Amino acid sequence: MNNRSSPPFVALQLCEGGMAGPVDLKDIFFVEADELLSALEEGLRAIQTGAQEADTVNAVFRAVHSIKGGAGAFDLKALVGFAHRFETVLDALRAGQLQPEPALLGALLHASDHLADMISASRQGTNTDPELDERVIMALEAQAGGGGHKEEEAFVFEPLALDGPFGMEFSPMPLVTGRRRVTLTFRPHAGSFASGHDPALLMRDLCAEDEVEVDLDLSTLPEAGNFDPGQSYLGWTVTLQTERSDKDLLAIFEFIEGSCDLTLASDTSTEPRNNPPLPAPRIASPALAPVSATPVPAATKSPPPPAATAPPPSAGPASGAGPRPTIRVDIDRVDRLVDILGELVIHQAMLTEAIEQSPGFGSVEVDRSLDQLRQLSRQIQESVMAIRAQPVKPLFDRMHRIVREASMAAGKSARLVTEGEGTEVDKTIIERLADPLTHMIRNSVDHGLEKPMRRDEIGKPNEGVIKLSAAHRSGRIVITVQDDGAGIDRDKVRMIAIEKGLVSATAELSPQEIDALLFLPGFSTATEVSALSGRGVGMDVVRSEIAGLGGRVGIASVRGQGTTLTISLPLTLAVLDGMVFEAAGQTLVLPVSTIIETLRPEASMRHNLGQTDSVLDVRGRCLPLIDVGMALGFRRSLKPGEGEIVVVVERGDEGAIALMVDGIRDQRQVVIKGLEANYGQIPGIAAATVLGDGSVALILDPTDLAATGPIQARPVVSLAAE
């Protein structure tokens, strides 16, 4: 059995049938590496904002050190070499030899970005350009004053002048008065060097704050002819008088756990002791006994209590402390679980409908059982959706790099501020949000923020701010990208639209209509092609991708103050609570999260605007009135008894609208089935679902329905028959 393993990257995967199956540890390494990269960048940003606590700097160092260790286990030489020189600079920073100056932090962030690129390339089985690797790390070392090269050149291997069978005798270092006595035994495994671990760094951290006595264990050191410099043979027993807790001491070794033997025993005795002067070490003759790894006990110290009374803590995490245990599951298995959940919801609806139509329906026991089944189905749905739900923080963290690169390319100074990183949303939505959000961020930097000189002239801070936030609102997730730039120049936008033939020169457009021009295909306000813009691939791509997620994009701008882009999305793409209603003989569904109220309006509440448009006066508010059947082209006009029920739905920041329907059937959970892959995008329709009787019902998108206007009338055909 091979004992060489990379400590942080050990996982157990459950196969079908409940048996433990093989798992690719390299895949686990890359997953862990992504998390470490996130911690690395988060720590560097914290240092950049003034948080220079030792814990923050140590966390940054440990992230790079762990990546190096994992990469060494899989023989990723280029990655190991880059990470080693990277951590050398970080080591000098945490030792106080370097100060976190802006230029150094910029180089550290650039090295962090490049480290992420190297990991991404290694995941794909390729390598980054070695010359680029060297340029990036040399730029970092130059900002560090060449510290990386100095440390590398300072290390020269020199053979030890040892006599006989390497028997040596050392006198322990004296102890000074301390809080409590701790004895720690540490022996790295033979192959620990191959994983990138350096015992010297660990011992230095262990001994940095306290006076210690150290006994070296040479019992496994071979004869010179059998010595392998790539293997570890030494062990140490370290005795400290320290105020540090066992948890703090063990944390020093957390990334080598699994590649070493580690024990710790503590004594709370605080009696002072007098120590003799430090004698000089001497070489023992071959006839002397081997050196004992047990430290010399203090004369004034009582024997330690029996192990049964006070068992020493293990080298692992303390019980009850640390994060809760987690498992890693292939996302395909979760998707399969979601699919099964969808089938369960459909069959539950079919069963309910069959029972309601049976002769025995109405029994109290049957009603109670159906209600319990509905509740159980909802609990399963919520639990499965909670498994898929993830915070948007990893996505938001990636945007910091986008801002840095975009501001550098545009010659501007910008920083990203995030809020609501803990907001959770379906994993599928997070994955598909990356591209549109990246485009929006770049757009804010390139088109929104002014040049530094211009910002100085108008009294704004030289550094522009882009605020990225997320929040749950009315059963949806709302993400906003806000900049403090110049805002939209609507005169310029209108002029470009006229030049491109998108609008007539005599057209009178409202500010909202001018803003909407930015979402037209091929529209761009850039005067020249750059790395960021000018090719006509603009906000229309963002809108289409968001629409594919069942969402919508809004824009608001104040000239001279900035622009805000808003994305509104459903929390999940699997199941929703819907109100089932009828219009023009069709069965349709509205998301319950969008419904404000339902009512039967009186004739006096309706007011016509021209020949086609109408509004509804609801307690002093005039709402646009839309007949769903006519808007979708299922009928040309209303007949008596049709459209007598109105459902008032909200459209986020755009206010509410009133939808006319013929009748409301019930409220139920429905499984969302996308139409884009098999049919195409339909104006006013978000998706479809299968009802309990097997018929297909369309799920409305009220905002899009109001924006697109009525669709050309078509012959009415039941969807269940198509």
Side-chain angles (χ1 to χ4, degrees):
M1 179 177 180
N2 189 355
N3 291 325
R4 292 175 57 181
S5 62
S6 181
F9 314 114
V10 178
L12 174 65
Q13 181 172 341
L14 296 179
C15 294
E16 295 182 6
M19 299 298 291
V23 60
D24 190 344
L25 291 182
K26 198 169 186 179
D27 290 341
I28 299 298
F29 159 68
F30 288 124
V31 172
E32 295 282 358
D34 288 340
E35 296 174 359
L36 292 168
L37 286 171
S38 178
L40 169 63
E41 179 163 337
E42 185 175 355
L44 290 175
R45 291 200 309 270
I47 297 173
Q48 194 175 36
T49 56
Q52 300 180 23
E53 293 85 356
D55 289 346
T56 303
V57 180
N58 287 335
V60 168
F61 174 83
R62 285 197 300 268
V64 179
H65 181 71
S66 299
I67 290 173
K68 184 184 80 169
F74 300 106
D75 198 29
L76 303 174
K77 293 184 173 64
L79 187 54
V80 170
F82 186 92
H84 177 68
R85 294 169 68 179
F86 192 176
E87 78 170 351
T88 299
V89 176
L90 292 172
D91 191 37
L93 179 64
R94 70 172 183 161
Q97 300 171 9
L98 297 174
Q99 296 301 316
E101 302 292 341
L104 175 61
L105 288 172
L108 287 170
L109 285 167
H110 186 42
S112 172
D113 294 340
H114 190 71
L115 183 63
D117 292 340
M118 295 182 71
I119 290 174
S120 178
S122 298
R123 180 188 279 113
Q124 298 170 8
T126 61
N127 292 312
T128 53
D129 183 2
E131 294 183 0
L132 178 59
D133 300 345
E134 186 65 20
R135 285 200 302 271
V136 172
I137 200 63
M138 287 187 66
L140 175 60
E141 291 172 338
Q143 291 296 334
H149 278 304
K150 288 179 181 177
E151 182 165 327
E152 292 293 325
E153 294 168 1
F155 177 78
V156 179
F157 177 76
E158 295 181 359
L160 295 174
L162 300 177
D163 256 345
F166 307 104
M168 299 183 69
E169 181 179 320
F170 292 89
S171 295
M173 295 176 62
L175 288 173
V176 297
T177 303
R179 282 292 186 87
R180 65 191 184 99
R181 184 184 182 91
V182 177
T183 302
L184 186 144
T185 303
F186 169 56
R187 175 178 290 277
H189 291 168
S192 60
F193 291 161
S195 298
H197 299 296
D198 187 349
L201 295 176
L202 301 175
M203 294 296 292
R204 187 190 67 182
D205 290 347
L206 178 65
C207 304
E209 300 182 18
D210 307 292
E211 293 293 336
V212 300
E213 61 181 31
V214 182
D215 284 331
L216 177 65
D217 182 1
L218 299 168
S219 59
T220 61
L221 190 67
E223 297 290 341
N226 297 323
F227 182 80
D228 181 359
Q231 300 292 311
S232 175
Y233 301 104
L234 306 180
W236 294 268
T237 298
V238 183
T239 304
L240 312 92
Q241 289 281 0
T242 183
E243 296 181 0
R244 287 181 286 178
S245 66
D246 291 351
K247 181 179 179 181
D248 291 338
L249 294 173
L250 292 172
I252 297 172
F253 300 90
E254 62 179 321
F255 294 114
I256 197 174
E257 182 183 351
S259 292
C260 72
D261 296 326
L262 182 67
T263 60
L264 184 148
S266 61
D267 186 353
T268 57
S269 172
T270 59
E271 292 186 18
R273 57 180 292 184
N274 297 321
N275 302 289
L278 176 65
R282 60 186 182 277
I283 301 296
S285 67
L288 294 178
V291 179
S292 171
T294 305
V296 178
T300 60
K301 193 172 181 62
S302 59
T309 305
S314 66
S319 61
R324 291 178 296 177
T326 60
I327 62 171
R328 297 188 183 278
V329 181
D330 192 325
I331 189 62
D332 291 338
R333 300 187 179 191
V334 179
D335 290 340
R336 175 59 180 157
L337 184 60
V338 172
D339 291 340
I340 294 174
L341 169 66
E343 296 300 320
L344 174 64
V345 172
I346 292 174
H347 283 79
Q348 178 254 326
M350 295 175 66
L351 177 62
T352 300
E353 188 158 332
I355 292 177
E356 289 176 349
Q357 296 176 359
S358 65
F361 177 69
S363 166
V364 175
E365 290 298 327
V366 172
D367 288 346
R368 183 183 298 114
S369 297
L370 284 177
D371 186 59
Q372 291 175 347
L373 177 61
R374 279 191 290 266
Q375 293 182 21
L376 181 60
S377 176
R378 178 175 295 275
Q379 290 175 4
I380 295 174
Q381 178 250 322
E382 291 175 351
S383 298
V384 173
M385 291 301 104
I387 293 175
R388 286 185 59 91
Q390 290 188 342
V392 297
K393 186 178 185 303
L395 175 63
F396 279 19
D397 286 345
R398 291 162 60 182
M399 296 301 113
H400 286 276
R401 178 177 181 179
I402 301 300
V403 170
R404 287 197 300 271
E405 294 178 345
S407 58
M408 185 180 300
K412 300 177 181 180
S413 177
R415 64 184 173 92
L416 181 68
V417 177
T418 59
E419 287 185 1
E421 301 97 325
T423 306
E424 292 189 340
V425 69
D426 192 286
K427 176 179 173 61
T428 304
I429 293 179
I430 291 179
E431 292 171 348
R432 295 174 61 181
L433 262 180
D435 287 343
L437 201 57
T438 297
H439 191 97
M440 293 168 68
I441 293 288
R442 287 175 173 167
N443 187 81
S444 295
V445 174
D446 191 32
H447 296 287
L449 299 181
E450 306 95 336
K451 294 282 187 179
M453 184 178 298
R454 175 58 182 164
R455 292 180 69 89
D456 287 339
E457 293 174 355
I458 60 179
K460 288 185 177 182
N462 186 273
E463 183 180 58
V465 176
I466 296 175
K467 183 178 178 181
L468 178 61
S469 62
H472 287 153
R473 200 177 299 164
S474 301
R476 299 174 72 86
I477 181 174
V478 178
I479 297 176
T480 60
V481 179
Q482 181 180 7
D483 65 66
D484 65 346
I488 297 175
D489 186 346
R490 295 189 172 95
D491 291 337
K492 180 180 178 181
V493 171
R494 186 176 185 276
M495 180 182 65
I496 293 175
I498 293 174
E499 291 175 354
K500 292 180 176 289
L502 300 175
V503 296
S504 170
T506 60
E508 295 184 4
L509 301 177
S510 66
Q512 292 76 18
E513 291 172 331
I514 294 176
D515 294 346
L517 295 174
L518 298 173
F519 294 98
L520 294 178
F523 189 91
S524 176
T525 59
T527 56
E528 59 184 21
V529 176
S530 68
L532 296 179
S533 60
R535 300 186 184 275
V537 181
M539 297 300 292
D540 62 306
V541 176
V542 173
R543 169 170 277 184
S544 63
E545 291 184 354
I546 297 302
L549 293 171
R552 51 185 179 267
V553 183
I555 186 169
S557 180
V558 177
R559 187 66 177 151
Q561 297 183 19
T563 303
T564 300
L565 295 166
T566 304
I567 299 175
S568 178
L569 293 162
L571 293 178
T572 177
L573 301 179
V575 180
L576 62 78
D577 287 317
M579 175 182 285
V580 183
F581 67 95
E582 293 181 351
Q586 300 294 321
T587 301
L588 304 164
V589 178
L590 262 175
V592 171
S593 60
T594 65
I595 298 176
I596 300 175
E597 62 177 320
T598 60
L599 51 94
R600 287 183 178 270
E602 299 178 358
S604 60
M605 298 171 61
R606 177 170 175 170
H607 305 280
N608 294 326
L609 299 177
Q611 297 182 350
T612 57
D613 297 331
S614 302
V615 296
L616 188 70
D617 184 355
V618 181
R619 294 182 292 277
R621 296 175 59 202
C622 289
L623 307 179
L625 185 61
I626 300 173
D627 175 57
V628 174
M630 294 176 64
L632 294 177
F634 291 133
R635 60 187 172 206
R636 295 178 175 84
S637 61
L638 285 173
K639 298 178 181 178
E642 295 180 335
E644 295 183 350
I645 299 176
V646 168
V647 182
V648 180
V649 297
E650 62 91 17
R651 298 186 295 163
D653 297 333
E654 301 178 48
I657 58 173
L659 301 179
M660 301 169 61
V661 302
D662 299 345
I664 296 175
R665 288 176 51 177
D666 63 2
Q667 177 180 327
R668 66 178 65 170
Q669 281 186 310
V670 295
V671 179
I672 302 173
K673 302 291 186 181
L675 296 173
E676 289 82 3
N678 298 318
Y679 183 80
Q681 188 173 352
I682 305 175
I685 302 299
T689 188
V690 179
L691 300 178
D693 60 0
S695 62
V696 176
L698 299 176
I699 302 174
L700 294 189
D701 182 347
T703 300
D704 194 38
L705 186 68
T708 55
I711 299 174
Q712 185 177 0
R714 70 192 75 171
V716 177
V717 180
S718 173
L719 290 173
E722 291 182 348

